[in-house]
Amino acid sequence: MSNQDDILLSVEDLSVAFRTDHGSANVVQGVSFKIRRGEIMGLVGESGSGKSVTALVVMGLLPQAIAKVSSGRVLFDGKDLTRMPERDMRKLRGPRIGMIFQEPLTALNPVFTVGSQIIAGILAHEPVSKQEAHARAVQLLQRVGIPEPARRMDAYPFQLSGGMRQRAMIAMAIACSPDLLIADEPTTALDVTIQAQILDLLREIRDEMGISILFITHDLAIISELCDSVAVFYAGEMQERGSVRQVFAAPHHPYTSGLLSCIPDVARGERLKAIEGHPPARLSDVPGCRFAPRCPNAIDLCSQVHPSIERLPDGAETRCFRWKEIQTCN
């Protein structure tokens, strides 16, 4: 067990509701997890499961006009980010918390050069001269593996390849040496070779800088390769959490088992399997387990009573009444 002083980020019973024309939609409900200093934690789940919304709450970028934190806390170094004024959040973004977005072409400003955007981020948070910021920006581009970094400083985002744009985004995110780096599906639009290079880069940055990384993805293979721990999301709830070794070797939730079984063994000629059914609509009131309508192991209790997160003997957590039976099946 880790010492409480090792905990950098603690999400406690977080719930987020979106306002719609048809009522309030609970897109995140009762989510809790912790990230230690220097840890890489993965959030995995299908699209719409609440992963990115959780990250936006941590960054203080939740669109207040249509969404609100209805309950819970997000403690960063002991301070609750959900109650922090915007002016204080701006001081955290960059120096303490950095973010890599899924599509850098839309995250980067198209009318400014890559170098000028990195320099602006440095000058906004650190008392250095423009010359010093320029020199650091070149070093950052070199560190993330962009060739001819001094020349690339003058390139506009559209002039760079997808892989180089993502590397430039990483350079911007680590420019002020943050304690926490949030990566929201940063390799989705990249080919497999470039994807592997970006993952290697993130791992190297963690090892060199000692930062924590919250990595959001729907790709279990990336989780197994990069992360130390993983939280599995489904329909706005965390269904399972544990070390990557625990969750992948012996999943305690049927949704996690279903996700793992969806990965075919091509060498054995296995066919692609799928989880039958669809996630519940967010406006609907599900009295029991949200996965019960799709679960092959469900019993009457599962559709009648909503399960809470249970801590297991090995330290992992699951939201399932029948985790012992599922473990036996595995």
Side-chain angles (χ1 to χ4, degrees):
M1 296 293 293
S2 61
N3 189 292
Q4 190 64 29
D5 292 338
D6 292 335
I7 303 300
L8 177 65
L9 181 73
S10 179
V11 177
E12 301 177 356
D13 197 30
L14 178 68
S15 295
V16 179
F18 273 51
R19 291 182 284 275
T20 75
D21 294 337
H22 304 286
S24 179
N26 295 316
V27 295
V28 172
Q29 191 162 344
V31 167
S32 300
F33 61 84
K34 292 179 172 63
I35 301 179
R36 302 189 309 274
R37 299 177 191 276
E39 177 183 11
I40 302 180
M41 180 176 188
L43 299 188
V44 67
E46 56 198 276
S47 297
S49 60
K51 309 182 302 296
S52 295
V53 172
T54 301
L56 290 177
V57 173
V58 176
M59 286 294 293
L61 296 176
L62 193 69
Q64 298 298 317
I66 61 171
K68 68 172 182 177
V69 174
S70 50
S71 68
R73 303 190 301 172
V74 177
L75 301 179
F76 178 75
D77 241 358
K79 298 178 181 179
D80 188 358
L81 301 183
T82 65
R83 291 168 175 77
M84 187 172 289
E86 173 59 22
R87 64 178 180 275
D88 293 334
M89 280 301 305
R90 284 197 294 266
K91 296 176 183 178
L92 285 182
R93 296 189 203 108
R96 301 295 309 280
I97 306 174
M99 187 161 187
I100 307 167
F101 295 93
Q102 179 176 347
E103 180 43 70
L105 193 57
T106 56
L108 294 169
N109 193 318
V111 300
F112 291 101
T113 63
V114 168
S116 67
Q117 294 183 61
I118 298 175
I119 290 172
I122 296 172
L123 292 176
H125 299 290
E126 298 192 15
V128 297
S129 67
K130 196 168 184 178
Q131 291 75 19
E132 290 173 316
H134 184 279
R136 188 190 299 181
V138 174
Q139 291 175 347
L140 285 164
L141 291 181
Q142 182 178 32
R143 173 61 195 87
V144 298
I146 292 182
E148 300 181 276
R151 186 169 69 85
R152 299 293 183 182
M153 287 282 291
D154 297 324
Y156 290 89
F158 74 89
Q159 294 176 312
L160 301 179
S161 67
M164 282 202 287
R165 282 195 297 267
Q166 198 58 278
R167 290 174 186 272
M169 274 293 301
I170 295 173
M172 291 180 64
I174 66 172
C176 297
S177 302
D179 299 291
L180 174 66
L181 185 62
I182 299 175
D184 189 2
E185 303 204 39
T187 60
T188 298
L190 305 177
D191 64 52
V192 177
T193 302
I194 303 301
Q195 182 183 95
Q197 294 173 0
I198 295 298
L199 296 180
D200 287 342
L201 175 60
L202 290 174
R203 191 181 297 106
E204 291 169 6
I205 289 171
R206 187 278 298 268
D207 294 342
E208 292 175 9
M209 302 175 64
I211 65 176
S212 303
I213 299 177
L214 179 61
F215 194 96
I216 300 168
T217 183
H218 60 272
D219 192 326
L220 290 170
I222 291 178
I223 293 291
S224 66
E225 180 181 346
L226 178 69
C227 299
D228 303 307
S229 61
V230 58
V232 181
F233 276 49
Y234 177 78
E237 292 183 329
M238 191 186 78
Q239 306 297 335
E240 183 163 8
R241 185 210 61 79
S243 70
V244 168
R245 183 185 298 273
Q246 288 172 324
V247 173
F248 279 61
H252 298 95
H253 195 281
Y255 177 61
T256 309
S257 297
L259 288 178
L260 291 170
S261 67
C262 288
I263 304 174
D265 189 332
V266 180
R268 296 182 180 180
E270 291 183 358
R271 296 177 63 86
L272 181 65
K273 299 178 182 178
I275 301 175
E276 299 293 333
H278 304 279
R282 295 304 170 81
L283 292 173
S284 62
D285 184 17
V286 181
C289 172
R290 295 191 172 193
F291 188 65
R294 307 174 69 184
C295 180
N297 303 297
I299 56 178
D300 289 343
L301 175 68
C302 301
S303 59
Q304 297 168 0
V305 180
H306 187 264
S308 58
I309 284 286
E310 181 177 354
R311 190 171 184 84
L312 308 182
D314 63 358
E317 297 173 330
T318 187
R319 191 185 296 276
C320 182
F321 294 120
R322 306 195 65 200
W323 65 267
K324 290 183 179 178
E325 290 88 343
I326 293 166
Q327 188 177 39
T328 302
C329 293
N330 293 326

